[in-house]
């Protein structure tokens, strides 16, 4: 009986060295790229340009650098917005895909191609290739994984159409020249960034605020103990993003983080989560990380702070305005409704017509994520909402 054949080829590859076995001397172009790699370690905004150069060196249209914990993908940067969207869809549909899992299992100190980790038969049958990568004009990759002391992996991956063929030995040799520098720079970059992020969540913990730092698409980068205590009953740390367990609140959270709505992203920045049982309502506040803040938070997109609503205290109009990003007129009407006024009597107190009050109340419903007056009263007074 013939011995069973391995699913994928063992990695046996050798490259010519310089004189007397010394490592090859990098070209001027490669040396300049190495300098930019180390620069990106301390200025992470430069990683996209570095990845573009690495992709060009490999003869690939796209590349990505991923930070992962096992097959859980925490963050990434790509060569283009289009490829960023493809990477996100890839993680959502194939979180435990065959080539990433085997790449991590092999722990090879260099770049590998798809044929080093999967067989041609598997490529011909696996949904990752046949239903996703190849129809989108990809399917031939080369990647390396660097393990860092935190337990994370940093993966650098180049991708091109399978019609162009798999990457050859010369390309892998050129990429392997960069790998030690990529490993050191990625480790330094990840450590600096995570130290900044963790420091922020710890500071908010000292202020008594449950908080988290979110990356692109709502991925959880770090959370303090008070925020973790809201899991899994209020929040859920899903593979691709942080989610609210309440469906309506989760829809608002997705939209606030840039998810497509009926007319594009909705400018919601405070998201109410209804009371359930003994648990009070919670307001999620999203603070976008923009402008100069990216000097500190390069991978972060928002800081999320959770505020429990104290039961049976009717907040002032100013507090309502701050909680839900309402206009002054909207907040005054909402406060009167919470205090027990009907829309008609609230309109009289505010000096507006009932029809205007109804229009304002409709905007308040949209911003707070409720659809009934009773639910708005329950949210603002901290009483349980009806199911």
């Amino acid at each position: 009986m013939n011995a069973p054949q391995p699913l994928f080829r063992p990695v046996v590859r050798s490259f010519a060295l310089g004189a007397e076995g010394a490592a090859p001397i990098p070209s001027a172009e490669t040396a300049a790229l190495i300098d930019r790699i180390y620069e990106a370690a301390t200025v992470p905004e430069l990683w996209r340009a570095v990845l573009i150069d690495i992709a060009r060196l490999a003869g690939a249209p796209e590349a990505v650098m991923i930070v992962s914990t096992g097959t859980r993908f925490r963050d990434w940067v790509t060569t283009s917005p289009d490829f960023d969207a493809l990477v996100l869809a890839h993680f959502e549909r194939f979180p435990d895909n065959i080539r990433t899992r085997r790449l991590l299992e092999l722990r090879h100190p260099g770049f590998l191609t798809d044929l080093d980790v999967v067989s041609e038969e598997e490529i011909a049958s696996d949904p990752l290739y046949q239903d996703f990568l190849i129809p989108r004009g990809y399917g031939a990759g080369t990647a390396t994984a660097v393990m860092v002391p935190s337990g994370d992996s940093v993966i650098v991956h180049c991708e091109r159409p399978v019609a162009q063929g798999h990457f050859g030995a010369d390309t892998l040799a050129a990429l392997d020249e960069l790998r030690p520098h990529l490993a050191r720079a990625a480790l330094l970059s990840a450590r600096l960034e995570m130290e900044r992020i963790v420091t922020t969540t710890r500071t908010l913990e000292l202020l008594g605020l449950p908080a988290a730092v979110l990356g692109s698409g709502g991925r959880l980068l770090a959370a303090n103990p008070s925020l973790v205590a809201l899991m899994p009953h209020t929040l859920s740390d899903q593979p691709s993003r942080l989610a609210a367990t309440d469906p309506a609140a989760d829809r608002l959270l997705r939209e606030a983080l840039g998810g497509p709505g009926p007319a594009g992203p909705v400018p919601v920045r405070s998201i109410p989560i209804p009371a359930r049982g003994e648990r009070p309502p919670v307001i999620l506040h999203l603070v976008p990380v923009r402008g100069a803040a990216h000097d500190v938070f390069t991978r972060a997109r928002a800081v999320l702070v959770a505020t429990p609503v104290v039961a049976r205290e009717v907040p002032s109009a100013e507090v309502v305005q701050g909680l839900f990003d309402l206009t002054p007129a909207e907040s005054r009407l909402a406060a009167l409704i919470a205090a027990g006024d009907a829309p008609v009597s609230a309109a009289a107190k505010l000096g507006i017509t009932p029809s205007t009050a109804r229009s304002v109340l409709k905007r308040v419903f949209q911003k707070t994520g409720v659809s009934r007056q009773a639910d708005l009263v329950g949210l603002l007074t901290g009483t349980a909402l009806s199911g």
Side-chain angles (χ1 to χ4, degrees), residues 80-209:
S80 71
D82 288 343
F83 197 59
D84 189 77
L86 183 136
V87 170
L88 175 59
H90 166 267
F91 291 155
E92 290 179 339
R93 289 186 56 183
F94 304 95
D96 186 24
N97 68 82
I98 186 172
R99 68 173 178 178
T100 301
R101 184 172 68 252
R102 288 185 180 167
L103 173 71
L104 296 173
E105 289 172 352
L106 283 173
R107 294 177 178 265
H108 178 68
F111 278 80
L112 298 173
T113 70
D114 286 58
L115 290 179
D116 290 320
V117 297
V118 296
S119 67
E120 293 183 358
E121 291 77 12
E122 287 171 321
I123 291 175
S125 61
D126 193 280
L128 170 67
Y129 290 93
Q130 296 302 315
D131 299 341
F132 187 80
L133 291 173
I134 294 175
R136 287 165 173 79
Y138 297 105
T142 179
T144 189
V146 178
M147 309 301 293
V148 298
S150 65
D152 291 336
S153 303
V154 178
I155 299 171
V156 178
H157 178 101
C158 300
E159 186 80 16
R160 72 185 182 189
V162 71
Q164 292 185 14
H166 293 279
F167 295 87
D170 290 344
T171 297
L172 298 181
L175 292 172
D176 282 346
E177 284 188 57
L178 300 178
R179 187 182 185 274
H181 310 288
L182 286 168
R184 286 189 285 268
L187 172 60
L188 176 60
S189 183
R191 280 183 169 175
L192 288 174
E193 177 71 4
M194 288 310 299
E195 282 297 322
R196 293 163 178 164
I197 289 172
V198 170
T199 297
T200 296
T201 58
R202 286 175 179 168
T203 301
L204 291 169
E205 178 77 19
L206 293 175
L207 296 175
L209 296 173

Side-chain angles (χ1 to χ4, degrees), residues 198-275:
V198 170
T199 297
T200 296
T201 58
R202 286 175 179 168
T203 301
L204 291 169
E205 178 77 19
L206 293 175
L207 296 175
L209 296 173
V213 177
L214 305 181
S216 178
R219 295 185 305 281
L220 181 63
L221 300 182
N224 62 23
S226 295
L227 194 287
V228 173
L230 296 176
M231 301 177 188
H233 50 78
T234 302
L235 297 171
S236 173
D237 183 14
Q238 298 182 357
S240 61
R241 68 180 183 92
L242 185 70
T245 55
D246 178 75
D250 193 52
R251 174 180 57 80
L252 291 175
L253 181 59
R254 287 181 66 101
E255 292 172 347
L257 291 167
V266 176
V268 177
R269 287 294 177 267
S270 295
I271 298 109
I273 298 179

